[in-house]
Amino acid sequence: MNVVVCVKQIPDPAAPQSLEPSTNTLDRSGKLILDDSDAYGVEMALQLVDKAGSGEVTLVSMAPNGEVAGLRTALAMGAAKAILVSDDALKGTDALGTAKVLAAAIKRTEFDLVLAATESSDGYTGTVPVQIAELLGLPSITFAKSVTIDGSTVKVDRQTEAGYDEVTAPLPAVVTVTAGVVEPRYPSFKGIMAAKSKPVDQVTAADLGFSAGDVGAAGSGQTIFAVADAEARSAGEIVVDEGDGAQRIVSFLEGLKVI
Amino acid sequence: MNFQASSEQELLRTTVASIAQSFGHRYFVDQAATGGKATELWDALAEAGFCGVNLPLPFGGGGGMAELAIVAEETAAAGCPLLMFLVSPAICGEVIARFGTEEQQRRWLPGLGSGSSKMAFAITEPDAGSNSHRVATVATRRGDGWSLSGTKYYISGIDEADHVLVVTSTGTDPLTGRGQLTLFVVPTNAPGLSFTPISVGIVATEKQFTVTFDDVALSDDHRIGPEGGALRPLFMGLNPERIISAATLIGLGRYALAKAADYAKTREVWGVPIGSHQGLSHPLAKAAIDVELAALMTAKAAWQFDEGLDPAEASNMAKLAAADAALVAIDQAMQTHGGNGMATDYGLITVWGMARLLKVAPVSREMVLNYIATHTLGLPRSY
């Protein structure tokens, strides 16, 4: 059982962020860390490989400046190796372009399953994994809250608003996992010490067969024209209890249709 | 000269911080207040292999004192200062790794390395204080083995330890009249060993104990190093203890400064955040400088220890500087909080006691100054 996990290395969400004024995209030039939401896919992959008794977990990531800090975290958790696509030509790549690049990188590996988070914590398009599936000609199942392998089939409990659907697909397939799928382990000291010697294959856009204009800002079908601040939260309503406090709160909650 | 942490050290730091923050200061205070221990926190760190990172690789470590300092600092920075790091992996682990026989290392180090077993350390006595030459706990030969008798006090966490490393006197040097010291590992369930808690007013999950040895019988394979030869292991082992004390204090200093900065940014009294008043911001800035300087000296001491250089001067300097810096940082954080500085909910008064303890222990400020005066400045000994 070989599992590829798409992992994104993102600016630390706890640190102040800024947009690049020329492109209105997130400034990713500083230090990047493993997107928390990808830790679930890494953990799921490790558990599936462990259960299968053979195989390994390969990470695939696209990041500027040869960034490996986030990959090291996932390698320390137990992934065997990584492919990092890093190239100045990729700056400004949109979601579809990212999917093309990641799909091309995934093709360099032997895999039975591709896992990804439902969406990244910095871009939030939530479109890349299914685009990868389409590009690879594979079935995709999204929003997995449970993933099991049964022979050559992947069985997924797919989270819905009403509950969950039981969905199966033949392998290989692409599955996106939610934060509820498994509890990610912390990297162990042994894992941390071993991570540095695990192979990270750094490739360029050209290595993957892309030429200038295919990817990056030039190949992007998307342009961000303007960015506006989110509307400031308005002051709440203060309910002074004049004997009818409880009723007014109930009415408020009924208005929200939460009770 | 290189001040850049390795990528492994950075990942160790963020991972330990994540684990410790998932418990946090409230957990620590709740455990301490109810007489509980930080077992869940320790076990979570142990599960990831962080409790004995300094020990040799075959025993579950593979890092050095620099790595253990990171573990202790980040745990304290999350508001959970653990004394057990000072004694179990730092002193006991290093003494056994360097002075124990291969058989002794195989017996005790896997537990200390994995954190599945803890070892307390017993040197301080009611009548000896910092003068280890007056140790009155005696070990006498009995058949092929030994019998230990005497009393130790201020022994941290012996109730949660499986063993205790004990400094005993096994004779008197005929030339100097000083006690000849010998080290023993004693199982805490050995017949004749008993301990009673000492009530102290600090918030800590490790309790303090008076420990009595009443004719405790031990086979000779519990002796660490040669008979009468404890001074070398002790001088070696006390440096890691100072380094890890300093690291813990730096964690506490950072914890207090982070709280103070958060509060000073949001608390408004005259229409602006109180942090815009230099009367508050400058003392906090100065405290941040002193904590960072102490952290640098601690890193130097840990580096020297790991490189096999003599870390005694740097360890002593780091320990004193870190205690002073942490106490000023906590005090100024409390001042920034006004009356709230005294409220246990704000989590400052609840770390002050631990920092204050680490100003007198494991080596007092005065003994550090004696050492620096004598060894660094070449001044005459005062005692």
Side-chain angles (χ1 to χ4, degrees), chain B residues 145-281:
Chain B
W146 296 86
S147 165
L148 266 63
S149 287
T151 302
K152 299 283 182 182
Y153 77 168
Y154 292 108
I155 307 309
S156 303
I158 192 169
D159 60 331
E160 55 187 289
D162 297 314
H163 301 88
V164 54
L165 181 65
V166 185
V167 183
T168 70
S169 170
T170 46
T172 307
D173 188 314
L175 295 176
T176 63
R178 286 177 164 175
Q180 289 173 317
L181 305 180
T182 306
L183 292 169
F184 291 93
V185 172
V186 183
T188 50
N189 62 0
L193 186 160
S194 60
F195 45 83
T196 51
I198 303 168
S199 178
V200 293
I202 70 170
V203 178
T205 51
E206 293 100 343
K207 307 297 178 236
Q208 298 294 317
F209 293 90
T210 299
V211 183
T212 305
F213 301 88
D214 182 9
D215 192 17
V216 174
L218 289 176
S219 55
D220 192 46
D221 59 0
H222 289 76
R223 174 173 49 82
I224 304 291
E227 180 179 347
L231 279 186
R232 266 187 66 223
L234 271 181
F235 282 138
M236 187 286 302
L238 294 179
N239 288 320
E241 187 186 37
R242 283 160 203 186
I243 294 167
I244 302 305
S245 302
T248 304
L249 286 158
I250 289 155
L252 290 177
R254 283 176 41 209
Y255 165 87
L257 289 172
K259 275 195 172 298
D262 276 352
Y263 192 81
K265 273 186 271 192
T266 52
R267 167 85 170 155
E268 291 189 11
V269 180
W270 283 283
V272 290
I274 57 172
S276 54
H277 303 306
Q278 291 177 341
L280 285 182
S281 68

Side-chain angles (χ1 to χ4, degrees), chain A residues 31 69 72-74 76 186-190 192-193 195-196, chain B residues 8 10-12 15 18-19 22 48-50 53 61-63:
Chain A
K31 191 182 175 237
R72 294 281 176 223
T73 304
Y186 290 107
S188 69
F189 188 59
K190 215 170 138 187
I192 290 171
M193 298 304 275
K196 200 166 191 172
Chain B
E8 288 93 338
E10 283 184 17
L11 189 49
L12 174 65
T15 308
S18 299
I19 295 175
S22 74
F50 294 146
V53 289

Side-chain angles (χ1 to χ4, degrees), chain B residues 274-309:
Chain B
I274 57 172
S276 54
H277 303 306
Q278 291 177 341
L280 285 182
S281 68
H282 283 187
L284 288 175
K286 177 66 168 68
I289 290 169
D290 289 340
V291 168
E292 183 60 24
L293 287 174
L296 266 181
M297 185 57 84
T298 306
K300 176 179 174 179
W303 177 82
Q304 287 180 330
F305 184 86
D306 290 337
E307 292 293 313
L309 304 169

Side-chain angles (χ1 to χ4, degrees), chain A residues 52-214:
Chain A
S54 67
E56 59 185 19
V57 175
T58 303
L59 310 167
V60 171
S61 187
M62 179 175 122
N65 307 323
E67 179 67 71
V68 292
L71 291 177
R72 294 281 176 223
T73 304
L75 292 169
M77 287 173 73
K81 60 186 196 297
I83 300 174
L84 170 68
V85 191
S86 193
D87 194 328
D88 286 345
L90 294 169
K91 195 173 159 64
T93 303
D94 63 2
L96 181 57
T98 304
K100 287 178 184 169
V101 169
L102 292 178
I106 291 167
K107 275 191 198 163
R108 293 163 75 98
T109 68
E110 284 184 24
F111 63 92
D112 303 296
L113 178 68
V114 177
L115 292 179
T118 54
E119 59 185 358
S120 64
S121 306
D122 63 343
Y124 287 111
T125 72
T127 56
V128 171
V130 284
Q131 289 171 340
I132 291 173
E134 186 65 23
L135 290 162
L136 294 174
L138 298 178
S140 72
I141 308 176
T142 52
F143 296 104
K145 72 184 202 77
S146 149
V147 182
T148 48
I149 302 296
D150 185 2
S152 58
T153 304
V154 57
K155 292 175 145 182
V156 168
D157 291 345
R158 182 180 186 276
Q159 186 73 54
T160 66
E161 279 190 18
Y164 67 89
D165 299 331
E166 294 176 4
V167 187
T168 62
L171 294 174
V174 176
V175 174
T176 73
V177 297
T178 65
V181 72
V182 278
E183 189 57 35
R185 71 194 67 185
Y186 290 107
S188 69
F189 188 59
K190 215 170 138 187
I192 290 171
M193 298 304 275
K196 200 166 191 172
S197 54
K198 289 181 174 175
V200 176
D201 182 15
Q202 188 172 328
V203 297
T204 62
D207 292 336
L208 296 176
F210 296 102
S211 46
D214 293 343

